[in-house]
Amino acid sequence: GLLDTAGTIVWDTMTGPKFGIFFIRDLQRTQDDNYYVSGEYNLPWYEGSAGFKISPAGDSLWFRQYYHADTLDLSHVWNFQPTPDSGFVHVGIYFDKQNPQIGTYNWLLKTDKYGCVVKDCHTISLEEPGLLPGIEVYPNPSGGIFYLRYPTQADSEQFTITVYNPLGKKVLEQKGKNRLDLSMLPPGVYLLNVTENHRLMYSQKLVKE
C-alpha cells in the first residue's frame, strides 16, 4: 500500500496467486519512479527466489522467479540493490534439500530493469503463477490496433486492461474491452496487463510498428 506524509492510506491492494506466500526482504524506489521488492516466493510445490516490480499506483508490471528448479529445494534472498543501468543485483543462499551431502550455496544474481537474467527476456511471453489460460492478443506486432480474445467461460467485463510504456508509465487503461487502440502512441514495445480485482491474470508484450 501507499501512505501519505500524514499516514493516511492512499491505496491498498493485494496481488499474487492463491496458496502463494511472498516474503518481502525490502522495498526500494527505482530510477523510473516505480517500486521493486525481492524475496522468497513459496508455493506448496516449490520455494524459490523472486522479484516483483510495481507502479506507484500499485499495478503489477512484472514478476520473475529465480532458483526454483527442484521441487524440495529452497532459495532465499538476503539483500538486493539497484544498479546504475536500472537493473538489480541480489545476494542469497540456496539449500539443496534433495542432496544434503552437497550442502548449501551462496549466489549473486544480476538482472536488468525487466528482471531478466537472460538478455531481452521481456520480449517474449513468460508464464507467471496464477495467470488465466486462454487469453490471446492479436495481431502482434500491429500498427496500433490490437484485439483480445478471452476464454469462452470468462466475462470480459470483469477484467481491467492496462498498458505501460518501456519506462513503466501507464499509457492506457480500460475496462473489459476486446479492442485496444494504441495508434496515438509512438512505435515501440509496450507491456499489457490484464487484471481482475487487482490480481494479475495475464501479461503480454505488445509491439507497435
Side-chain angles (χ1 to χ4, degrees):
L2 181 67
L3 305 178
D4 62 17
T5 55
T8 304
I9 298 176
V10 179
W11 55 259
D12 181 16
T13 185
M14 291 187 293
T15 186
K18 295 180 180 179
F19 313 116
I21 303 174
F22 188 27
F23 295 99
I24 297 173
R25 293 299 175 206
D26 196 3
L27 171 68
Q28 294 193 26
R29 190 75 175 258
T30 58
Q31 292 185 0
D32 56 5
D33 290 328
N34 293 296
Y35 293 97
Y36 180 73
V37 299
S38 187
E40 289 83 61
Y41 185 75
N42 295 349
L43 287 174
W45 51 92
Y46 66 75
E47 301 181 45
S49 299
F52 182 37
K53 193 171 185 179
I54 57 177
S55 74
D59 299 309
S60 172
L61 299 180
W62 48 256
F63 181 90
R64 306 278 188 237
Q65 300 177 66
Y66 314 106
Y67 299 114
H68 63 278
D70 294 326
T71 304
L72 298 177
D73 294 347
L74 302 175
S75 180
H76 295 281
V77 177
W78 293 134
N79 197 2
F80 72 89
Q81 293 291 329
T83 53
D85 60 355
S86 298
F88 309 93
V89 62
H90 311 69
V91 62
I93 193 168
Y94 184 91
F95 299 92
D96 194 339
K97 295 178 63 177
Q98 298 192 67
N99 298 286
Q101 69 276 13
I102 296 179
T104 303
Y105 304 88
N106 294 316
W107 53 261
L108 187 67
L109 176 69
K110 171 68 174 68
T111 63
D112 65 14
K113 65 180 180 179
Y114 300 103
C116 299
V117 179
V118 180
K119 183 180 179 182
D120 294 333
C121 79
H122 65 286
T123 61
I124 61 175
S125 177
L126 297 178
E127 181 181 355
E128 298 190 11
L131 299 190
L132 178 67
I135 298 180
E136 298 180 24
V137 180
Y138 64 95
N140 192 16
S142 166
I145 304 298
F146 299 82
Y147 295 92
L148 278 78
R149 181 184 292 119
Y150 300 94
T152 54
Q153 75 275 14
D155 178 11
S156 62
E157 292 301 319
Q158 66 188 331
F159 300 120
T160 299
I161 315 302
T162 311
V163 178
Y164 299 90
N165 67 15
L167 297 178
K169 181 180 179 181
K170 184 190 301 183
V171 294
L172 177 69
E173 183 173 276
Q174 61 187 40
K175 191 73 174 179
K177 295 182 180 179
N178 296 73
R179 183 176 183 270
L180 292 175
D181 186 356
L182 305 185
S183 57
M184 67 292 191
L185 299 175
V189 179
Y190 295 85
L191 177 67
L192 165 73
N193 281 347
V194 179
T195 58
E196 180 184 13
N197 295 324
H198 303 291
R199 179 171 177 246
L200 181 65
M201 304 302 294
Y202 180 78
S203 186
Q204 173 66 51
K205 172 210 64 169
L206 301 178
V207 179
K208 182 182 182 296
E209 297 178 321

